Amino acid sequence: MTKGNIRLFQPAVMTSFRRGQRRQEQHTSLLKIKNVRTKKDSEFYFGKRVAYVFKGKKASSQIRSAQNPKLKSRARVMWGRITRAHGNSGAVRAKFSPNLP
């Protein structure tokens, strides 16, 4: 067993939607994951879940707040899953439900 730190998440940037020369498909997003440089590196993330976290306008009650129903937050999350690689530079395709804005 190694004594190094275990990373529980890896930050990524949403670069664009999947697209052709004249139109884009909003149901598939392209993500660039930090420290992923090749297609082989991206294979580890296939099937893993992805979270798109953003702040909403108003605070709303959190889902799992049965102990404290007054607990409110502006944070919102949209969940998705990495489906496959996109190109040779380590970018991946991901599908979110609902689609990203």
Side-chain angles (χ1 to χ4, degrees):
M1 193 153 91
T2 63
K3 294 193 178 204
N5 294 336
I6 298 173
R7 180 172 279 285
L8 297 177
F9 69 93
Q10 187 73 0
V13 175
M14 191 259 191
T15 55
S16 68
F17 293 108
R18 192 181 98 187
R19 63 189 209 94
Q21 186 177 7
R22 291 179 186 86
R23 69 183 209 137
Q24 68 181 12
E25 306 285 345
Q26 276 103 2
H27 57 75
T28 305
S29 303
L30 301 181
L31 305 176
K32 185 66 180 144
I33 303 170
K34 184 178 178 183
N35 296 330
V36 176
R37 304 275 184 252
T38 65
K39 191 179 222 180
K40 187 168 183 168
D41 292 344
S42 66
E43 291 176 2
F44 171 78
Y45 295 98
F46 293 175
K48 300 284 193 293
R49 293 186 59 172
V50 193
Y52 177 74
V53 182
F54 61 100
K55 285 189 176 181
K57 190 172 184 180
K58 293 185 176 182
S60 65
S61 61
Q62 296 177 357
I63 295 173
R64 295 183 183 95
S65 61
Q67 293 86 8
N68 188 0
K70 295 180 182 178
L71 191 62
K72 296 187 180 244
S73 174
R74 286 181 53 202
R76 310 281 194 274
V77 179
M78 297 170 85
W79 289 98
R81 194 168 294 273
I82 294 178
T83 56
R84 56 176 289 181
H86 181 81
N88 293 318
S89 63
V92 293
R93 296 181 190 179
K95 291 196 175 247
F96 287 84
S97 178
N99 294 334
L100 290 182

